[in-house]
């Protein structure tokens, strides 16, 4: 019992530290134009059209794989590479990323190579990518996805 309570306390401290860091990044972004903080996530697959008829469902199914990038400073949302290319000013040299710790989505070679390409092309001097502990990955992206789910 005591061990479980100690583990819960450590878990809560780690979670609070992560969200405190994200709030600090948000504050730094608002005061320093050379720093940008983004959260990003992938939504579950959406099948279109959303119809309950089984036979027609399997013949005309189109799968959409939505992703979202949410700017901590301006609360704008887009896809990460498009967002960086279209919206991030060249004066921004420090990028803080927050995403869930899903290995298949965010902790993989593709993502690491993408971030390395941003630094090797001198787009950013520093990229910091932070992951929350398990169960505590509710970001602004999830609120954006909730809006999408309303229409499906």
């Amino acid at each position: 019992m005591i061990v479980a309570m100690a583990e819960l306390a450590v878990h809560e401290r780690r979670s609070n530290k992560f969200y405190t860091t994200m709030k600090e990044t948000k504050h730094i972004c608002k005061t320093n134009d050379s720093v940008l903080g983004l959260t990003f996530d992938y939504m579950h697959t959406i099948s279109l059209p959303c119809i309950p008829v089984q036979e027609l469902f399997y013949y005309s199914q189109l799968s959409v794989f939505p992703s979202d990038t949410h700017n901590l400073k301006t609360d704008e949302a887009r896809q990460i590479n498009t967002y960086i290319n279209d919206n991030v000013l060249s004066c921004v040299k420090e990028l803080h990323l927050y995403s869930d710790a899903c290995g298949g989505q965010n902790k993989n070679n593709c993502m690491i190579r993408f971030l390395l390409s941003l630094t090797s092309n001198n787009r950013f001097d520093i990229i910091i990518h932070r992951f929350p502990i398990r169960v505590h990955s509710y970001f602004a992206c999830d609120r954006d996805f909730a809006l999408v789910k309303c229409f499906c």
Side-chain angles (χ1 to χ4, degrees):
M1 178 80 168
I2 294 173
V3 173
M5 290 174 55
E7 288 176 355
L8 178 62
V10 169
H11 180 85
E12 288 175 347
R13 264 189 248 122
R14 286 181 180 166
S15 173
N16 289 338
K17 182 179 179 182
F18 176 81
Y19 283 103
T20 300
T21 304
M22 193 161 53
K23 285 179 186 175
E24 290 170 357
T25 301
K26 188 173 185 175
H27 176 71
I28 291 169
C29 291
K30 290 184 177 185
T31 58
N32 186 348
D33 288 338
S34 68
V35 178
L36 177 65
L38 301 173
T39 64
F40 65 95
D41 199 2
Y42 297 90
M43 186 177 169
H44 65 85
T45 304
I46 298 174
S47 297
L48 298 175
C50 297
I51 53 175
V53 180
Q54 293 299 323
E55 187 174 318
L56 186 59
F57 173 80
Y58 289 108
Y59 286 128
S60 63
Q61 185 176 8
L62 171 67
S63 295
V64 179
F65 304 94
S67 66
D68 182 38
T69 302
H70 195 96
N71 186 325
L72 293 174
K73 181 178 181 179
T74 63
D75 284 334
E76 293 177 299
R78 285 210 187 133
Q79 194 270 343
I80 189 165
N81 190 40
T82 304
Y83 187 86
I84 289 172
N85 289 335
D86 295 346
N87 294 81
V88 178
L89 301 174
S90 60
C91 65
V92 175
K93 292 300 177 186
E94 187 173 327
L95 179 64
H96 294 257
L97 297 174
Y98 295 87
S99 66
D100 60 16
C102 179
Q105 294 175 351
N106 304 319
K107 286 184 168 180
N108 57 41
N109 278 336
C110 186
M111 180 57 67
I112 298 301
R113 288 179 184 172
F114 170 67
L115 298 177
L116 284 172
S117 73
L118 292 174
T119 56
S120 66
N121 292 331
N122 296 321
R123 181 62 185 94
F124 299 104
D125 294 336
I126 299 171
I127 297 177
I128 300 170
H129 193 173
R130 292 186 177 100
F131 305 99
I133 58 174
R134 290 183 65 197
V135 186
H136 291 279
S137 64
Y138 186 76
F139 297 122
C141 297
D142 296 311
R143 290 189 294 275
D144 298 335
F145 290 146
L147 294 173
V148 173
K149 289 178 186 178
C150 290
F151 298 107
C152 290

